[in-house]
Amino acid sequence: MQDEMTPGKGWALETLAIRAGHNRTHEQEHAEPIFPTSSFVYASAAEAARKFSGEEPGNVYSRFTNPTVATFEQRLAALENGERCVATSSGMAAILSTVLALLQSGDEIVASRSLFGSTVSLFDKYFAKLGITTHYVELADLAAWEAAITPRTRLLFAETPSNPLAELVDIAALAEIAHRHDALLAIDNCFLTPALQKPLTLGADLVIHSATKYLDGQGRAVGGAVVGRRQELDEVFGVVRTCGPCLSPFNAWIFTKGLETLDLRMRAHCANAQALAEWLQAHPAVARVHYSGLREHPQHELASRQQSGFGAVLSFEVQGEREAAWSVIDATRMLSITGNLGDVKSTITHPASTTHARLSPQQKAAAGISESLIRVAVGLEAIEDIRSDLARGLDALSN
Ligand SMILES: *Cc1c(COP(=O)(O)O)cnc(C)c1O
């Protein structure tokens, strides 16, 4: 009998990413199969009754469980060091399901001010309607987090590092604050993935993923996941099963295969991003680079301690205003001009007029989103090609 690939048995992350969660069928297939089926059948009425009641484990309907989705969930749970993972139809569905499962009307959330735009809309527009209020604080300011907590606070929510300025929060310290006040800490681990950061090991209670980004890594599918302890994840599963934001078997299969190269890809992404950040920092047309892998980054020491890599999303300010930033973006011939990230293809974005356009000029100033800021999610093309694509516009600015 071969050993099951479960964490805590000494298997390395690279190994778990390739092998965990595949329970081979009687066909003895080598690669993970896809089960594109809505429902399952039984040998008898009695077996159906046992499966429906939960008395006997097994599949009933793919909104509840599906073997391909289960493989992805078990693999990601192993990588994040969680007891259970629940997959969802998108990253947003992961956040929605978590809050619906664990909070109720009258509860409060304390969240970082630097969050994905749709997360802020979800909190302010939809959770507010359910009587769940969110207070925003500066990501790195632990005293501000603690000051915003009230007896009704149930959840602390952060992305670290932040987008696009790569600011960090000390996850272990934030978890300690959350637990002292009987609240849960959820970390959106989209930017680093378990290959570079393990929030549960650092003390967080829940990890949120948009699998759409690096877990797939090749821009093929939309999906998400929540990972954590069985106690909370059983509740999240209840929401997904009842409300229906479940992941399709086909997308789950894509993410499962994506995880197999996660560690390798993330290392290569980090190497390209570090090289690009250092090159940008030395370019005369660049005023400032935001990347936690640079020694000059104010939280470089925390990043080195809490992460096992610095990620591949960086941003930089060019000399000049919006016109200068746009000229650099428009001079590229290879980089994809898009708001997306977490892809082998490098992407370039002007946050002030796209991902952060909804902010008022005052909010942009407070958040550090200047008109001269450009974000690059560094992909896996040859670093010389990425550099020369950016050099065209930057050289023109400095001449
Ligand atoms: C993309 C993203 C999300 C939302 O995920 P979807 O899969 O697009 O729903 C949430 N958080 C972060 C940090 C993201 O980048």
Side-chain angles (χ1 to χ4, degrees), residues 59-209:
N59 298 302
V60 172
Y61 187 55
S62 284
R63 172 153 47 78
F64 307 176
T65 61
N66 173 282
T68 314
V69 176
T71 296
F72 169 61
E73 290 173 334
Q74 286 165 24
R75 190 165 290 183
L76 186 57
L79 299 187
E80 286 286 8
N81 241 330
E83 288 174 7
R84 186 169 183 187
C85 167
V86 174
T88 55
S89 56
S90 67
M92 292 318 302
I95 303 173
L96 171 69
S97 304
T98 301
V99 172
L100 274 185
L102 303 173
L103 276 72
Q104 59 186 24
S105 183
D107 286 347
E108 294 178 2
I109 299 171
V110 180
S112 156
R113 216 183 286 289
S114 313
L115 288 183
F116 186 66
S118 295
T119 306
V120 175
S121 306
L122 178 63
F123 288 2
D124 291 350
K125 192 164 172 198
Y126 298 102
F127 292 161
K129 208 152 68 165
L130 303 177
I132 298 167
T133 316
T134 306
H135 303 283
Y136 295 96
V137 296
E138 290 306 319
L139 174 67
D141 186 348
L142 291 170
W145 283 92
E146 185 142 28
I149 293 175
T150 77
R152 305 192 129 196
T153 304
R154 180 87 183 103
L155 181 70
L156 272 53
F157 191 101
E159 285 168 26
T160 180
S162 70
N163 174 24
L165 295 178
E167 290 166 334
L168 275 65
V169 71
D170 184 328
I171 295 175
L174 192 57
E176 195 271 318
I177 291 172
H179 299 155
R180 191 146 30 83
H181 295 274
D182 284 327
L184 298 168
L185 173 62
I187 298 290
D188 182 330
N189 204 25
C190 205
F191 275 50
L192 292 182
T193 83
L196 305 180
Q197 172 171 276
K198 291 210 185 68
L200 299 178
T201 305
L202 293 166
D205 303 284
L206 298 154
V207 165
I208 305 281
H209 272 289

Side-chain angles (χ1 to χ4, degrees), residues 47 57 309 350:
E47 189 197 340
H350 182 243

Side-chain angles (χ1 to χ4, degrees), residues 362-379:
Q362 293 80 359
Q363 287 172 316
K364 277 183 197 164
I369 310 293
S370 70
E371 289 294 332
S372 67
L373 186 74
I374 294 173
R375 185 192 77 187
V376 175
V378 187

